Amino acid sequence: MTSIAGLPDFLLYLGTAAGLTGLYLLTYTLATAHNELALIRRDVTAAAVALGGSLLGFTLPLAVAIYNARSVLDCLVWGLVALVVQIAIYWLVRLAVPDLSRRIEDDRAAAALLLGAASLAGGVLNAASMTY
């Protein structure tokens, strides 16, 4: 039975991560000036690339937060930090490319790749910073 002794903690952290990821997706899609899900449903690849990069940029530090967490509260706090960092990255890219949302809506790959890459790079740095 020792092989499943950690199951309750696993489920607790997995549920916490799923909840934080849902909160992230909700917050991110409300923060952007375009509707990612509607665009993805219309097969706009740029929207999927940008959202996918952002999601990876969030979940990478979240995984590190789970790994380093001393408690679920610790995990929640660092997960929220990762959320804030990703929203900030979106706004920084939007400052550099003011018509970012229009470009993504028009399925222009360059803007989507820049946003996705910036989100992933920010997530890597965020995750590395959590390995204190």
Side-chain angles (χ1 to χ4, degrees):
M1 284 301 208
T2 59
S3 62
I4 62 167
L7 185 61
D9 285 337
F10 165 79
L11 293 173
L12 179 62
Y13 280 92
L14 182 62
T16 300
L20 282 167
T21 302
L23 177 64
Y24 173 72
L25 287 170
L26 177 65
T27 304
Y28 184 83
T29 56
L30 291 173
T32 61
H34 53 279
N35 185 334
E36 287 85 353
L37 295 178
L39 292 171
I40 292 167
R41 286 184 187 116
R42 288 192 354 239
D43 204 27
V44 176
T45 303
V49 168
L51 182 60
S54 175
L55 186 58
L56 288 171
F58 171 73
T59 56
L60 180 61
L62 180 58
V64 171
I66 291 168
Y67 182 78
N68 289 318
R70 292 178 174 85
S71 68
V72 173
L73 179 60
D74 196 32
C75 177
L76 278 169
V77 168
W78 288 108
L80 292 173
V81 168
L83 185 151
V84 169
V85 167
Q86 283 300 310
I87 299 301
I89 290 167
Y90 166 75
W91 284 104
L92 288 172
V93 173
R94 191 165 170 195
L95 282 175
V97 184
D99 61 343
L100 177 67
S101 288
R102 185 187 54 76
R103 290 173 182 242
I104 290 172
E105 289 169 349
D106 292 344
D107 205 10
R108 294 173 65 186
L113 287 169
L114 175 63
L115 179 56
S119 297
L120 187 54
V124 167
L125 294 176
N126 191 4
S129 298
M130 291 182 185
T131 60
Y132 43 89

PDB file of all heavy atoms in Angstrom, residues 1 3-5 15-16 20 24 31 36 44-46 53 59 61 69 80 85 91 98 104 107 111 115 121-122 129 131:
ATOM      1  N   MET A   1       0.795  -1.204   0.000  1.00  0.00           N
ATOM      2  CA  MET A   1       0.000   0.000   0.000  1.00  0.00           C
ATOM      3  C   MET A   1       0.838   1.269   0.000  1.00  0.00           C
ATOM      4  O   MET A   1       0.295   2.327  -0.227  1.00  0.00           O
ATOM      5  CB  MET A   1      -0.942   0.023   1.208  1.00  0.00           C
ATOM      6  CG  MET A   1      -2.125  -0.878   1.041  1.00  0.00           C
ATOM      7  SD  MET A   1      -3.017  -0.357  -0.400  1.00  0.00           S
ATOM      8  CE  MET A   1      -4.628  -0.867   0.010  1.00  0.00           C
ATOM      9  N   SER A   3       2.815   2.242  -2.166  1.00  0.00           N
ATOM     10  CA  SER A   3       2.929   2.805  -3.506  1.00  0.00           C
ATOM     11  C   SER A   3       1.857   3.862  -3.772  1.00  0.00           C
ATOM     12  O   SER A   3       2.044   4.728  -4.615  1.00  0.00           O
ATOM     13  CB  SER A   3       2.861   1.708  -4.567  1.00  0.00           C
ATOM     14  OG  SER A   3       1.611   1.063  -4.500  1.00  0.00           O
ATOM     15  N   ILE A   4       0.737   3.793  -3.061  1.00  0.00           N
ATOM     16  CA  ILE A   4      -0.304   4.813  -3.259  1.00  0.00           C
ATOM     17  C   ILE A   4      -0.487   5.700  -2.030  1.00  0.00           C
ATOM     18  O   ILE A   4      -1.447   6.454  -1.940  1.00  0.00           O
ATOM     19  CB  ILE A   4      -1.643   4.178  -3.660  1.00  0.00           C
ATOM     20  CG1 ILE A   4      -2.171   3.244  -2.578  1.00  0.00           C
ATOM     21  CG2 ILE A   4      -1.550   3.499  -5.011  1.00  0.00           C
ATOM     22  CD1 ILE A   4      -3.612   2.832  -2.789  1.00  0.00           C
ATOM     23  N   ALA A   5       0.461   5.634  -1.122  1.00  0.00           N
ATOM     24  CA  ALA A   5       0.352   6.426   0.100  1.00  0.00           C
ATOM     25  C   ALA A   5       0.333   7.921  -0.202  1.00  0.00           C
ATOM     26  O   ALA A   5      -0.289   8.702   0.515  1.00  0.00           O
ATOM     27  CB  ALA A   5       1.502   6.105   1.053  1.00  0.00           C
ATOM     28  N   GLY A  15      -5.230  18.909  -8.274  1.00  0.00           N
ATOM     29  CA  GLY A  15      -6.443  19.729  -8.261  1.00  0.00           C
ATOM     30  C   GLY A  15      -6.127  21.212  -8.136  1.00  0.00           C
ATOM     31  O   GLY A  15      -6.734  22.055  -8.801  1.00  0.00           O
ATOM     32  N   THR A  16      -5.152  21.522  -7.295  1.00  0.00           N
ATOM     33  CA  THR A  16      -4.716  22.912  -7.135  1.00  0.00           C
ATOM     34  C   THR A  16      -4.161  23.437  -8.450  1.00  0.00           C
ATOM     35  O   THR A  16      -4.494  24.550  -8.884  1.00  0.00           O
ATOM     36  CB  THR A  16      -3.662  23.021  -6.016  1.00  0.00           C
ATOM     37  OG1 THR A  16      -4.235  22.559  -4.796  1.00  0.00           O
ATOM     38  CG2 THR A  16      -3.173  24.448  -5.854  1.00  0.00           C
ATOM     39  N   LEU A  20      -5.657  26.450 -10.669  1.00  0.00           N
ATOM     40  CA  LEU A  20      -4.834  27.607 -11.030  1.00  0.00           C
ATOM     41  C   LEU A  20      -4.742  27.768 -12.549  1.00  0.00           C
ATOM     42  O   LEU A  20      -4.764  28.889 -13.062  1.00  0.00           O
ATOM     43  CB  LEU A  20      -3.434  27.485 -10.425  1.00  0.00           C
ATOM     44  CG  LEU A  20      -3.318  27.821  -8.947  1.00  0.00           C
ATOM     45  CD1 LEU A  20      -1.973  27.367  -8.388  1.00  0.00           C
ATOM     46  CD2 LEU A  20      -3.520  29.310  -8.713  1.00  0.00           C
ATOM     47  N   TYR A  24      -5.927  30.874 -14.587  1.00  0.00           N
ATOM     48  CA  TYR A  24      -5.016  31.547 -15.514  1.00  0.00           C
ATOM     49  C   TYR A  24      -5.674  31.753 -16.873  1.00  0.00           C
ATOM     50  O   TYR A  24      -5.649  32.860 -17.433  1.00  0.00           O
ATOM     51  CB  TYR A  24      -3.708  30.770 -15.680  1.00  0.00           C
ATOM     52  CG  TYR A  24      -2.866  31.396 -16.756  1.00  0.00           C
ATOM     53  CD1 TYR A  24      -2.245  32.621 -16.530  1.00  0.00           C
ATOM     54  CD2 TYR A  24      -2.758  30.833 -18.016  1.00  0.00           C
ATOM     55  CE1 TYR A  24      -1.524  33.248 -17.522  1.00  0.00           C
ATOM     56  CE2 TYR A  24      -2.038  31.451 -19.012  1.00  0.00           C
ATOM     57  CZ  TYR A  24      -1.430  32.651 -18.762  1.00  0.00           C
ATOM     58  OH  TYR A  24      -0.731  33.292 -19.751  1.00  0.00           O
ATOM     59  N   ALA A  31      -7.894  39.385 -20.129  1.00  0.00           N
ATOM     60  CA  ALA A  31      -6.894  40.456 -20.219  1.00  0.00           C
ATOM     61  C   ALA A  31      -6.546  40.806 -21.662  1.00  0.00           C
ATOM     62  O   ALA A  31      -6.175  41.941 -21.946  1.00  0.00           O
ATOM     63  CB  ALA A  31      -5.629  40.065 -19.462  1.00  0.00           C
ATOM     64  N   GLU A  36      -9.538  34.506 -27.736  1.00  0.00           N
ATOM     65  CA  GLU A  36      -8.762  33.362 -28.189  1.00  0.00           C
ATOM     66  C   GLU A  36      -9.630  32.164 -28.561  1.00  0.00           C
ATOM     67  O   GLU A  36      -9.433  31.550 -29.605  1.00  0.00           O
ATOM     68  CB  GLU A  36      -7.748  32.915 -27.119  1.00  0.00           C
ATOM     69  CG  GLU A  36      -6.578  33.814 -26.935  1.00  0.00           C
ATOM     70  CD  GLU A  36      -6.848  34.966 -25.988  1.00  0.00           C
ATOM     71  OE1 GLU A  36      -7.999  35.142 -25.559  1.00  0.00           O
ATOM     72  OE2 GLU A  36      -5.891  35.709 -25.706  1.00  0.00           O
ATOM     73  N   VAL A  44      -8.135  29.856 -36.379  1.00  0.00           N
ATOM     74  CA  VAL A  44      -7.110  30.888 -36.500  1.00  0.00           C
ATOM     75  C   VAL A  44      -5.870  30.375 -35.767  1.00  0.00           C
ATOM     76  O   VAL A  44      -5.802  30.403 -34.531  1.00  0.00           O
ATOM     77  CB  VAL A  44      -7.601  32.247 -35.944  1.00  0.00           C
ATOM     78  CG1 VAL A  44      -6.500  33.286 -35.979  1.00  0.00           C
ATOM     79  CG2 VAL A  44      -8.830  32.713 -36.711  1.00  0.00           C
ATOM     80  N   THR A  45      -4.915  29.903 -36.527  1.00  0.00           N
ATOM     81  CA  THR A  45      -3.715  29.290 -35.980  1.00  0.00           C
ATOM     82  C   THR A  45      -2.949  30.244 -35.069  1.00  0.00           C
ATOM     83  O   THR A  45      -2.412  29.840 -34.036  1.00  0.00           O
ATOM     84  CB  THR A  45      -2.811  28.789 -37.113  1.00  0.00           C
ATOM     85  OG1 THR A  45      -3.565  27.885 -37.923  1.00  0.00           O
ATOM     86  CG2 THR A  45      -1.572  28.092 -36.584  1.00  0.00           C
ATOM     87  N   ALA A  46      -2.878  31.513 -35.445  1.00  0.00           N
ATOM     88  CA  ALA A  46      -2.123  32.492 -34.653  1.00  0.00           C
ATOM     89  C   ALA A  46      -2.643  32.551 -33.224  1.00  0.00           C
ATOM     90  O   ALA A  46      -1.865  32.674 -32.276  1.00  0.00           O
ATOM     91  CB  ALA A  46      -2.188  33.870 -35.310  1.00  0.00           C
ATOM     92  N   GLY A  53       1.600  29.099 -26.292  1.00  0.00           N
ATOM     93  CA  GLY A  53       2.872  29.561 -25.713  1.00  0.00           C
ATOM     94  C   GLY A  53       2.668  30.153 -24.335  1.00  0.00           C
ATOM     95  O   GLY A  53       3.455  29.933 -23.412  1.00  0.00           O
ATOM     96  N   THR A  59       2.425  27.186 -17.089  1.00  0.00           N
ATOM     97  CA  THR A  59       2.481  25.883 -16.414  1.00  0.00           C
ATOM     98  C   THR A  59       3.902  25.452 -16.066  1.00  0.00           C
ATOM     99  O   THR A  59       4.080  24.683 -15.120  1.00  0.00           O
ATOM    100  CB  THR A  59       1.788  24.779 -17.244  1.00  0.00           C
ATOM    101  OG1 THR A  59       2.382  24.707 -18.548  1.00  0.00           O
ATOM    102  CG2 THR A  59       0.292  25.044 -17.344  1.00  0.00           C
ATOM    103  N   PRO A  61       6.459  27.386 -14.721  1.00  0.00           N
ATOM    104  CA  PRO A  61       6.734  27.815 -13.343  1.00  0.00           C
ATOM    105  C   PRO A  61       5.765  27.206 -12.334  1.00  0.00           C
ATOM    106  O   PRO A  61       6.133  26.986 -11.183  1.00  0.00           O
ATOM    107  CB  PRO A  61       6.635  29.339 -13.383  1.00  0.00           C
ATOM    108  CG  PRO A  61       6.006  29.679 -14.666  1.00  0.00           C
ATOM    109  CD  PRO A  61       6.185  28.530 -15.594  1.00  0.00           C
ATOM    110  N   ALA A  69       7.179  23.461  -3.459  1.00  0.00           N
ATOM    111  CA  ALA A  69       6.231  23.906  -2.437  1.00  0.00           C
ATOM    112  C   ALA A  69       6.414  23.159  -1.122  1.00  0.00           C
ATOM    113  O   ALA A  69       6.606  21.952  -1.094  1.00  0.00           O
ATOM    114  CB  ALA A  69       4.801  23.715  -2.931  1.00  0.00           C
ATOM    115  N   LEU A  80       0.111  32.010  -8.302  1.00  0.00           N
ATOM    116  CA  LEU A  80      -0.439  33.337  -8.580  1.00  0.00           C
ATOM    117  C   LEU A  80       0.653  34.286  -9.072  1.00  0.00           C
ATOM    118  O   LEU A  80       0.398  35.141  -9.929  1.00  0.00           O
ATOM    119  CB  LEU A  80      -1.153  33.886  -7.353  1.00  0.00           C
ATOM    120  CG  LEU A  80      -2.441  33.147  -6.983  1.00  0.00           C
ATOM    121  CD1 LEU A  80      -2.992  33.653  -5.647  1.00  0.00           C
ATOM    122  CD2 LEU A  80      -3.485  33.263  -8.082  1.00  0.00           C
ATOM    123  N   VAL A  85       3.022  37.264 -13.698  1.00  0.00           N
ATOM    124  CA  VAL A  85       4.154  37.421 -14.619  1.00  0.00           C
ATOM    125  C   VAL A  85       3.687  37.244 -16.063  1.00  0.00           C
ATOM    126  O   VAL A  85       4.044  38.028 -16.948  1.00  0.00           O
ATOM    127  CB  VAL A  85       5.297  36.440 -14.269  1.00  0.00           C
ATOM    128  CG1 VAL A  85       6.337  36.372 -15.387  1.00  0.00           C
ATOM    129  CG2 VAL A  85       5.948  36.836 -12.955  1.00  0.00           C
ATOM    130  N   TRP A  91       1.182  42.222 -21.673  1.00  0.00           N
ATOM    131  CA  TRP A  91       1.103  43.686 -21.780  1.00  0.00           C
ATOM    132  C   TRP A  91       2.407  44.275 -22.304  1.00  0.00           C
ATOM    133  O   TRP A  91       2.384  45.262 -23.062  1.00  0.00           O
ATOM    134  CB  TRP A  91       0.695  44.303 -20.447  1.00  0.00           C
ATOM    135  CG  TRP A  91      -0.768  44.092 -20.216  1.00  0.00           C
ATOM    136  CD1 TRP A  91      -1.342  43.189 -19.369  1.00  0.00           C
ATOM    137  CD2 TRP A  91      -1.859  44.752 -20.885  1.00  0.00           C
ATOM    138  NE1 TRP A  91      -2.716  43.247 -19.469  1.00  0.00           N
ATOM    139  CE2 TRP A  91      -3.053  44.201 -20.388  1.00  0.00           C
ATOM    140  CE3 TRP A  91      -1.921  45.744 -21.850  1.00  0.00           C
ATOM    141  CZ2 TRP A  91      -4.304  44.617 -20.826  1.00  0.00           C
ATOM    142  CZ3 TRP A  91      -3.176  46.163 -22.285  1.00  0.00           C
ATOM    143  CH2 TRP A  91      -4.337  45.602 -21.783  1.00  0.00           C
ATOM    144  N   PRO A  98       1.618  47.330 -30.712  1.00  0.00           N
ATOM    145  CA  PRO A  98       0.320  47.867 -30.274  1.00  0.00           C
ATOM    146  C   PRO A  98      -0.897  47.222 -30.949  1.00  0.00           C
ATOM    147  O   PRO A  98      -1.945  47.102 -30.330  1.00  0.00           O
ATOM    148  CB  PRO A  98       0.409  49.349 -30.626  1.00  0.00           C
ATOM    149  CG  PRO A  98       1.857  49.650 -30.716  1.00  0.00           C
ATOM    150  CD  PRO A  98       2.518  48.381 -31.168  1.00  0.00           C
ATOM    151  N   ILE A 104      -3.204  39.008 -34.504  1.00  0.00           N
ATOM    152  CA  ILE A 104      -3.578  37.632 -34.157  1.00  0.00           C
ATOM    153  C   ILE A 104      -4.936  37.298 -34.765  1.00  0.00           C
ATOM    154  O   ILE A 104      -5.119  36.222 -35.332  1.00  0.00           O
ATOM    155  CB  ILE A 104      -3.546  37.428 -32.630  1.00  0.00           C
ATOM    156  CG1 ILE A 104      -2.087  37.446 -32.141  1.00  0.00           C
ATOM    157  CG2 ILE A 104      -4.234  36.118 -32.235  1.00  0.00           C
ATOM    158  CD1 ILE A 104      -1.921  37.440 -30.643  1.00  0.00           C
ATOM    159  N   ASP A 107      -4.737  36.266 -38.192  1.00  0.00           N
ATOM    160  CA  ASP A 107      -3.967  35.026 -38.343  1.00  0.00           C
ATOM    161  C   ASP A 107      -2.558  35.274 -38.872  1.00  0.00           C
ATOM    162  O   ASP A 107      -2.031  34.499 -39.660  1.00  0.00           O
ATOM    163  CB  ASP A 107      -4.708  34.031 -39.245  1.00  0.00           C
ATOM    164  CG  ASP A 107      -4.323  32.590 -38.960  1.00  0.00           C
ATOM    165  OD1 ASP A 107      -3.626  32.338 -37.942  1.00  0.00           O
ATOM    166  OD2 ASP A 107      -4.706  31.701 -39.748  1.00  0.00           O
ATOM    167  N   ALA A 111       3.275  37.890 -35.141  1.00  0.00           N
ATOM    168  CA  ALA A 111       2.833  38.435 -33.854  1.00  0.00           C
ATOM    169  C   ALA A 111       2.552  37.314 -32.859  1.00  0.00           C
ATOM    170  O   ALA A 111       2.923  37.404 -31.687  1.00  0.00           O
ATOM    171  CB  ALA A 111       1.584  39.295 -34.051  1.00  0.00           C
ATOM    172  N   LEU A 115       4.562  36.617 -29.305  1.00  0.00           N
ATOM    173  CA  LEU A 115       3.865  36.527 -28.020  1.00  0.00           C
ATOM    174  C   LEU A 115       4.085  35.163 -27.371  1.00  0.00           C
ATOM    175  O   LEU A 115       4.387  35.076 -26.177  1.00  0.00           O
ATOM    176  CB  LEU A 115       2.369  36.806 -28.183  1.00  0.00           C
ATOM    177  CG  LEU A 115       1.525  36.731 -26.915  1.00  0.00           C
ATOM    178  CD1 LEU A 115       2.058  37.664 -25.829  1.00  0.00           C
ATOM    179  CD2 LEU A 115       0.070  37.046 -27.241  1.00  0.00           C
ATOM    180  N   ALA A 121       9.569  32.215 -22.823  1.00  0.00           N
ATOM    181  CA  ALA A 121      10.833  32.702 -22.249  1.00  0.00           C
ATOM    182  C   ALA A 121      10.612  33.260 -20.847  1.00  0.00           C
ATOM    183  O   ALA A 121      11.389  32.985 -19.929  1.00  0.00           O
ATOM    184  CB  ALA A 121      11.444  33.775 -23.162  1.00  0.00           C
ATOM    185  N   GLY A 122       9.547  34.024 -20.683  1.00  0.00           N
ATOM    186  CA  GLY A 122       9.220  34.550 -19.359  1.00  0.00           C
ATOM    187  C   GLY A 122       8.932  33.438 -18.370  1.00  0.00           C
ATOM    188  O   GLY A 122       9.330  33.508 -17.195  1.00  0.00           O
ATOM    189  N   SER A 129      13.737  31.237 -11.473  1.00  0.00           N
ATOM    190  CA  SER A 129      13.795  32.116 -10.301  1.00  0.00           C
ATOM    191  C   SER A 129      13.139  31.481  -9.085  1.00  0.00           C
ATOM    192  O   SER A 129      13.403  31.900  -7.954  1.00  0.00           O
ATOM    193  CB  SER A 129      13.114  33.446 -10.620  1.00  0.00           C
ATOM    194  OG  SER A 129      13.781  34.107 -11.660  1.00  0.00           O
ATOM    195  N   THR A 131      13.630  28.447  -8.101  1.00  0.00           N
ATOM    196  CA  THR A 131      14.434  27.319  -7.633  1.00  0.00           C
ATOM    197  C   THR A 131      15.414  27.763  -6.548  1.00  0.00           C
ATOM    198  O   THR A 131      16.527  27.272  -6.462  1.00  0.00           O
ATOM    199  CB  THR A 131      15.197  26.651  -8.790  1.00  0.00           C
ATOM    200  OG1 THR A 131      16.054  27.629  -9.382  1.00  0.00           O
ATOM    201  CG2 THR A 131      14.262  26.071  -9.811  1.00  0.00           C
TER     202      THR A 131
END
